[in-house]
């Protein structure tokens, strides 16, 4: 049985034509992932590709969540400001009107010669990013959201009672899922095709 538990969201920041002063940049953001990866010494997680990437790069061992919630944490690192400054400790505000008209990381790239593309959950959805993934500021085109995300509350998890239950974490058969895929797979396919 194919198991699917890791949630991966991808951000692609891409220059139209790469050159030495403007190299292409790929930023991969994983939702709510602790350092349970092989490259951080975890012996259970099977993460060979991330481990290989880490082997060729820099591993930060003193990085901390700014706020233990995805909306404020994302807003913090995407605007390079602490939650004390964004005044976002929960998921109820849009920083531009709530705290300040701060420039975001993709916005900075976009304003300096880059074509910026978002796939999956980069900004927190809803009011946190003004129901628009911070458009028109951050992205060169509308953010991609995987169609099967619409099924996230569907009962797809087989319980011991033989019935299907709602639960976002359970082993499933991908091809039996509504839409025949999963959001992470669709997001990855979109990002890969774009690259
Ligand atoms: C916020 O900043 C953007 C550029 O970063 C600018 O286009 C926009 O007009 C600003 N909005 C306000 C209300 O100052
Ligand atoms: C490098 O790419 C940027 C962004 O596309 C462009 O503005 C710049 O002129 C390029 N530089 C060279 C030396 O081609
Ligand atoms: C937020 O979205 C609304 C509705 O699209 C728009 O009128 C408003 O200008 C946006 N706020 C900012 C700060 O861009």
């Amino acid at each position: 049985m194919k198991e699917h538990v890791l949630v991966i969201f991808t951000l692609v920041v891409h220059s139209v034509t790469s050159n030495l002063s403007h190299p292409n940049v790929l930023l991969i953001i994983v939702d709510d992932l602790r350092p349970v990866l092989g490259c951080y010494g975890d012996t259970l997680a099977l993460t060979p590709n991330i481990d290989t990437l880490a082997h060729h790069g820099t591993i930060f061992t003193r990085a901390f969540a700014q706020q233990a919630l995805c909306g404020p944490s994302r807003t913090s690192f995407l605007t390079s400001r602490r939650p004390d400054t964004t005044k976002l400790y929960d998921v109820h505000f849009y920083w531009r009107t709530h705290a300040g008209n701060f420039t975001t990381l993709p916005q900075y790239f976009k304003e300096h010669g880059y074509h910026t593309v978002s796939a999956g959950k980069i900004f927190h959805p809803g009011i946190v990013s003004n129901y628009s993934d911070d458009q028109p500021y951050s992205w060169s085109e509308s953010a991609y959201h995987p169609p099967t995300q619409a099924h996230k509350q569907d009962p797809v998890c087989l319980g011991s009672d033989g019935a299907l239950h709602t639960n976002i974490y359970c082993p499933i058969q991908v091809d039996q899922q509504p839409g025949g895929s999963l959001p992470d797979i669709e997001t990855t396919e979109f990002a890969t095709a774009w690259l």
Side-chain angles (χ1 to χ4, degrees), residues 101-118:
N101 193 19
F102 308 133
T103 299
T104 73
L105 177 66
Q107 180 185 355
Y108 185 86
F109 276 88
K110 187 184 169 197
E111 290 173 356
H112 290 81
Y114 276 72
H115 186 89
T116 60
V117 177
S118 169

Side-chain angles (χ1 to χ4, degrees), residues 24-142:
N24 292 331
V25 179
L26 170 66
L27 176 57
I28 301 172
I29 301 174
V30 183
D31 206 28
D32 297 344
L33 178 70
R34 300 180 301 170
V36 284
L37 298 166
C39 59
Y40 280 100
D42 193 282
T43 53
L44 293 175
L46 300 177
T47 53
N49 294 323
I50 292 287
D51 296 349
T52 301
L53 188 64
H55 182 72
H56 293 291
T58 302
I59 301 181
F60 294 92
T61 56
R62 295 175 64 83
F64 300 91
Q66 307 91 315
Q67 175 79 353
L69 202 61
C70 58
S73 192
R74 284 161 189 269
T75 300
S76 176
F77 82 78
L78 286 164
T79 62
S80 191
R81 285 169 173 84
R82 296 187 180 101
D84 295 355
T85 303
T86 63
K87 303 192 192 309
L88 193 67
Y89 307 103
D90 212 310
V91 292
H92 303 310
F93 301 104
Y94 180 41
W95 74 90
R96 291 190 191 274
T97 43
H98 179 59
N101 193 19
F102 308 133
T103 299
T104 73
L105 177 66
Q107 180 185 355
Y108 185 86
F109 276 88
K110 187 184 169 197
E111 290 173 356
H112 290 81
Y114 276 72
H115 186 89
T116 60
V117 177
S118 169
K121 182 179 177 183
I122 304 304
F123 286 101
H124 190 84
I127 185 63
V128 176
S129 56
N130 203 28
Y131 301 98
S132 69
D133 298 87
D134 191 43
Q135 286 294 65
Y137 309 105
S138 287
W139 307 112
S140 303
E141 48 190 86
S142 294

Side-chain angles (χ1 to χ4, degrees), residues 15-23 112-115:
S15 73
V16 175
T17 48
S18 178
N19 59 43
L20 280 179
S21 63
H22 287 70
H112 290 81
Y114 276 72
H115 186 89

Side-chain angles (χ1 to χ4, degrees), residues 65 98 120 163 181 188:
H98 179 59
S181 190
T188 304

Side-chain angles (χ1 to χ4, degrees), residues 10-14 24-26 117 188-195:
T10 313
L11 160 72
V12 186
V13 180
H14 188 279
N24 292 331
V25 179
L26 170 66
V117 177
T188 304
E189 286 170 350
F190 172 87
T192 305
W194 214 99
L195 288 169

